[in-house]
Amino acid sequence: MRLEAESELVREAVSAEYAEFVIAITELGGVTALMGILALLFWWGDRRQSALVISYAIAGLAVMLALKTALALPRPPEDAMLVALESEREGYGFPSGHAFAATVVYGGLLSVSNRSRETWAVAGVGALVIAISLSRVVLGVHYLGDVIVGALLGIGFVVAMNRLTRGVPAVGFAIAIVLAVPALVITGGREDTILAVGGALGGLLTAGRINGLPALRSRLEGVALAAVGGGGVVALQLAESVVSATLSLGALYAALVAWIVVVPAVVGHVGSAVVDRRSSRYAEE
């Protein structure tokens, strides 16, 4: 079922000298990169669509962590790894979380933006998901069967979330909470599951503000949003590194998602104040 022999053929096709390139590809399916991409899209693009996919990602994280813990199937042996990666030795191997998450996020963005009938868009997303999935096999942290099942589950999850949410981000975050709480129990309170619970709560508490957020007025404001928003995200992640209590971690993750949602209002308010001040000065002159 996990296609061990076929996985070995994939691994043998890529030598260790390309390890950095393969790792760069695999990072595109990691939590940090995916949330960073979704945050930028939320600040610069269609906020309702981006928030909806953020809720998909958080809900999907809870489902995947619970499923992997329940099945408890191991990763390939360490000698299968392309290079030594300490961070990839922990956790379970089936199904692939990277393949699932990449499908949910990139496929979700394709779906909610109504571009799923555009051949080039589908081909681009498909190629990206395949590249991320195969990178996991090449690195030796998953078997080919793991990534195939992960991607298929991701497609099914996006279809289900599209029907359940009907395009409403608040519903997506509510579903994420419903899925994250039992996942927290199943995983024994794993930090990643606490992220799902806190993130879902933060999204639900702020989803009602999305429609009232100010539109992006200029490229300069877009740069300011990325700088201020990114700075806040980094600060919260630094705080996470010194916090160990479960409730505190949950609160930090809730604050992280809430910050992504509300920062356009903060930057917009400051921008309006600067414009008003300059207008007053010109009027006085």
Side-chain angles (χ1 to χ4, degrees):
M1 180 179 69
R2 300 184 73 182
L3 305 177
E4 289 91 340
E6 292 80 0
S7 302
E8 186 175 355
L9 294 176
V10 174
R11 291 196 300 269
E12 291 176 349
V14 181
S15 63
E17 63 182 298
Y18 298 106
E20 291 187 6
F21 177 69
V22 177
I23 291 171
I25 293 175
T26 210
E27 288 298 329
L28 293 175
V31 173
T32 300
L34 292 175
M35 289 305 291
I37 291 169
L38 288 173
L40 287 174
L41 289 175
F42 182 83
W43 296 332
W44 292 347
D46 189 308
R47 287 168 180 157
R48 188 179 183 86
Q49 291 179 0
S50 300
L52 191 61
V53 180
I54 290 173
S55 75
Y56 288 13
I58 295 172
L61 175 64
V63 169
M64 184 51 53
L65 290 172
L67 182 59
K68 292 179 79 166
T69 302
L71 294 174
L73 294 176
R75 292 186 183 276
E78 289 186 18
D79 59 12
M81 295 181 70
L82 184 66
V83 290
L85 296 170
E86 292 294 334
S87 61
E88 297 287 3
R89 291 179 178 178
E90 299 180 356
Y92 299 113
F94 182 87
S96 167
H98 276 65
F100 176 83
T103 304
V104 169
V105 172
Y106 299 122
L109 287 170
L110 184 71
S111 178
V112 302
S113 62
N114 297 316
R115 301 187 64 184
S116 55
R117 294 185 179 181
E118 297 180 17
T119 303
W120 287 109
V122 173
V125 168
L128 180 58
V129 170
I130 290 172
I132 293 169
S133 299
L134 288 179
S135 75
R136 306 300 288 167
V137 182
V138 170
L139 287 173
V141 294
H142 283 294
Y143 294 114
L144 190 58
D146 302 347
V147 300
I148 292 174
V149 172
L152 291 175
L153 288 174
I155 293 172
F157 188 78
V158 170
V159 171
M161 290 296 286
N162 284 344
R163 292 181 178 179
L164 291 171
T165 62
R166 297 188 180 276
V168 181
V171 175
F173 287 116
I175 293 172
I177 290 178
V178 170
L179 294 173
V181 172
L184 189 64
V185 176
I186 293 171
T187 62
R190 264 190 60 176
E191 185 174 323
D192 287 344
T193 322
I194 298 171
L195 183 154
V197 175
L201 182 59
L204 184 61
L205 292 175
T206 54
R209 297 179 58 94
I210 293 172
N211 291 336
L213 292 173
L216 192 63
R217 292 173 294 187
S218 66
R219 291 182 180 179
L220 180 60
E221 187 173 83
V223 172
L225 262 175
V228 175
V233 169
V234 170
L236 287 168
Q237 288 180 330
L238 289 174
E240 172 198 339
S241 65
V242 298
V243 170
S244 58
T246 299
L247 289 177
S248 298
L249 281 173
L252 279 175
Y253 291 138
L256 180 64
V257 174
W259 173 249
I260 291 173
V261 174
V262 303
V263 72
V266 175
V267 172
H269 178 74
V270 173
S272 297
V274 171
V275 170
D276 291 343
R277 185 173 298 177
R278 287 182 176 176
S279 299
S280 298
R281 286 180 180 177
Y282 290 143
E284 291 174 359
E285 293 175 356

